[in-house]
Amino acid sequence: MSTPAPLPHDVLLPRSPETAPPGLLPRLGAEAFGTLFIVVAGLGVPLFTIPDSSPVPAALAAGLAVTAAMLAFGHVSGGHFNPAITAGHLVAGRIRAGAAAAYVGAQLVGGLAGATALFGILRTLPGISDSGTAFDTVTAGFGEHSIIQAPLAAVLLLEMLGAAIVVAVFLGAPGRETGFGGDGGPAGQSGRDSRDRGSRSAAPVAVGLTFAVLLQLGQSVGNLPFNPARAVASAVFSSGWAVGQLWVFLAAPLLGAAIAGLVFRSFGAPAHAGAAAQAAGESGEAGETGGTGGTAESAETVETNETGQGAETAADAGVAGQGGRAGSGTHGSGRGEAQPSEAQEFFDGKRG
């Protein structure tokens, strides 16, 4: 018997389909780096490009950055990169409170890191004497700091509406009802999500396009970001007025996200219950089918055993018959041999 050769150490063995979700630290790192990327793209493109000669609009560039970040890191953390989206997940019951707080902290750190990098680059440019004034051109504001002099009520309502739309698209996109999302989600849902590759790719595209459209609208009103992390990152390096108006761009998107999360929570529970009932029904049908199959197999086994026993009985009878016939033939041949012996003795007696 030959012994199989051992596999070399550099051979990649197939992974189990039920892979464990990443830990909290890898998810926080993905959220921080993804938010950094979004802030650098969302603020850097309008900061360092001339609007008349820019090949890609700033809103489209920011939307593409969201799509790229979700495609790159969404499988690790869920791809929030926005405290409003995390708040929507919390209200909808798709992430725990502790994980949500950690997500928001990581997003703020990533956004500040991206804005710090941009601020440092601005300080090295000889043509820009005041980096804070340059940041004022990309910082959200209302009233006199809005391009169209939009009042507080208009900016508040638009931020709420835009954040609610983004969160609704994020929660309702195919494949976003599962995944890690901060706490890993149910194991069965995670398995179904890993098998649905097309749905997972469609969600980042939908969310990115939604951001691009809303940012195009928000730029014409007052550089509305629909992202508290981006609002904080730009306000910290801008003039003093930006910090004074920052509360609007923190409260409004979180409120809109909470509304969207409540809507999805109210509709999500019956859906999950129906799915669980359907899964239980399918399991019951499978059990009944297995039981029926087992009964049929048992019946076939009994019939087979009975048939085998009958065949064995017939074979035994045939062997016995053959033995009987052989015995009869032997006795017959014995009588045939006995008759010549008696005649020989008779004639021998007469001769004697």
Side-chain angles (χ1 to χ4, degrees):
M1 180 177 179
S2 61
T3 303
L7 292 174
H9 295 288
D10 57 349
V11 173
L12 296 179
L13 298 178
R15 298 179 62 185
S16 174
E18 296 181 358
T19 56
L24 182 60
L25 288 180
R27 298 202 303 267
L28 295 181
E31 285 293 310
F33 193 83
T35 309
L36 182 149
F37 177 36
I38 291 174
V39 168
V40 168
L43 299 179
V45 171
L47 272 175
F48 299 105
T49 57
I50 302 175
D52 296 335
S53 61
S54 178
V56 178
L60 180 59
L64 292 176
V66 171
T67 299
M70 290 183 65
L71 288 173
F73 308 109
H75 67 283
V76 178
S77 64
H80 296 186
F81 315 129
N82 188 337
I85 293 178
T86 302
H89 276 70
L90 177 62
V91 176
R94 298 188 184 181
I95 187 174
R96 298 184 179 91
Y103 265 43
V104 172
Q107 292 157 5
L108 292 175
V109 170
L112 289 173
T116 302
L118 294 176
F119 185 81
I121 295 173
L122 286 174
R123 294 294 300 268
T124 62
L125 299 179
I128 299 178
S129 57
D130 189 358
S131 300
T133 304
F135 260 91
D136 290 346
T137 61
V138 295
T139 301
F142 59 88
E144 61 179 357
H145 303 289
S146 170
I147 299 176
I148 60 174
Q149 305 295 314
L152 172 61
V155 172
L156 186 66
L157 292 176
L158 186 56
E159 270 281 319
M160 288 178 53
L161 178 62
I165 292 174
V166 169
V167 173
V169 171
F170 197 102
L171 293 176
R176 300 309 306 179
E177 72 278 0
T178 58
F180 301 123
D183 54 3
Q189 291 181 356
S190 179
R192 289 192 298 270
D193 181 62
S194 63
R195 290 192 294 268
D196 195 357
R197 303 296 180 184
S199 297
R200 292 176 60 183
S201 300
V205 175
V207 176
L209 291 177
T210 303
F211 258 111
V213 173
L214 290 175
L215 288 175
Q216 185 64 39
L217 174 62
Q219 281 183 354
S220 60
V221 175
N223 292 324
L224 306 186
F226 308 104
N227 186 338
R230 176 179 165 177
V232 171
S234 59
V236 168
F237 295 96
S238 299
S239 303
W241 63 265
V243 178
Q245 295 186 356
L246 182 60
W247 68 271
V248 177
F249 306 101
L250 296 178
L254 292 178
L255 182 58
I259 294 173
L262 284 175
V263 172
F264 272 84
R265 188 184 186 93
S266 62
F267 288 105
H272 290 310
Q278 182 179 0
E282 292 176 356
S283 301
E285 292 177 359
E288 293 177 358
T289 305
T292 306
T295 305
E297 291 177 359
S298 301
E300 292 177 359
T301 304
V302 172
E303 293 177 359
T304 303
N305 293 336
E306 292 178 353
T307 306
Q309 292 176 358
E312 292 177 358
T313 304
D316 293 341
V319 172
Q322 291 178 0
R325 288 194 296 271
S328 299
T330 303
H331 292 307
S333 61
R335 287 192 300 269
E337 293 176 356
Q339 290 177 359
S341 299
E342 293 176 357
Q344 185 68 28
E345 290 179 358
F346 176 75
F347 286 111
D348 289 343
K350 290 178 67 176
R351 283 196 300 269

